[in-house]
Amino acid sequence: MVGPSSASAAGASAAGGPTAGVPEAEMRGAPAGRFRWPLPGAPRVVRRFDPPPQPWLSGHRGVDLAAPPGVPVLAAGGGTVLFAGTVAGRPVLTVGHSGGLRTTYEPVRSRLTAGTPVDAGTPVGDLLAGHPGCAEAACLHWGLRREAEYLDPLVLLGLGRVRLLPLHPVDVAG
């Protein structure tokens, strides 16, 4: 098992709020306190975000959260359902949020359709078993994108990895 437990999640919030240590660039459009776990309680993270070094290479573009099959999947934040259907044979739901953010949930059985407004915590479907690479009875693959860029969805909860960026551009030719 890797990832935060409910105790570490509480510690992260107490240590400086839900966005402490998260780069401003990653949180733009994600106001503090407007996002929550997409499953009841504080689920166990069984696989963390591991983006590829190049966009066309393989990687893990989200986090996998363990839960029993059939539990309700909840909208992580308020927004509008952009897509509810099948991608590569798997049932997926996408919610659009302010600031150009999109959260994705799979595998999820949902009765919602594109255009449906949702609030944070609104049930958007039920978790199905069978997520590839998940050794648990079921895992929710929770993703986050801003336009074409994949981000760690845990940043929405103040639990993502901190990335330090240079103050000035680096001249590699120089």
Side-chain angles (χ1 to χ4, degrees), residues 7-140:
S8 65
S13 293
T19 59
V22 179
E24 177 61 32
E26 286 193 22
M27 288 306 301
R28 195 175 317 115
R34 297 220 176 146
F35 288 88
R36 51 161 294 149
W37 287 107
L39 293 170
R44 185 167 48 94
V45 177
V46 294
R47 187 169 177 201
R48 293 195 64 117
F49 180 70
D50 185 21
Q54 299 295 330
W56 58 86
L57 296 173
S58 65
H60 194 244
R61 294 170 173 89
V63 296
D64 290 346
L65 306 173
V71 302
V73 174
L74 313 169
T80 303
V81 174
L82 300 176
F83 177 82
T86 303
V87 175
R90 298 184 202 134
V92 176
L93 184 110
T94 302
V95 175
H97 309 280
S98 65
L101 296 176
R102 289 177 284 171
T103 51
T104 58
Y105 312 84
E106 94 164 76
V108 175
R109 178 183 321 126
S110 181
R111 293 186 196 99
L112 301 182
T113 58
T116 304
V118 294
D119 293 321
T122 298
V124 295
D126 299 315
L127 180 61
L128 299 174
H131 179 62
C134 176
E136 305 294 325
C139 284
L140 174 68

Side-chain angles (χ1 to χ4, degrees), residues 155-168:
V155 302
L156 298 173
L157 306 175
L159 302 173
R161 293 184 180 146
V162 175
R163 293 186 316 187
L164 298 177
L165 302 175
L167 293 175
H168 305 285

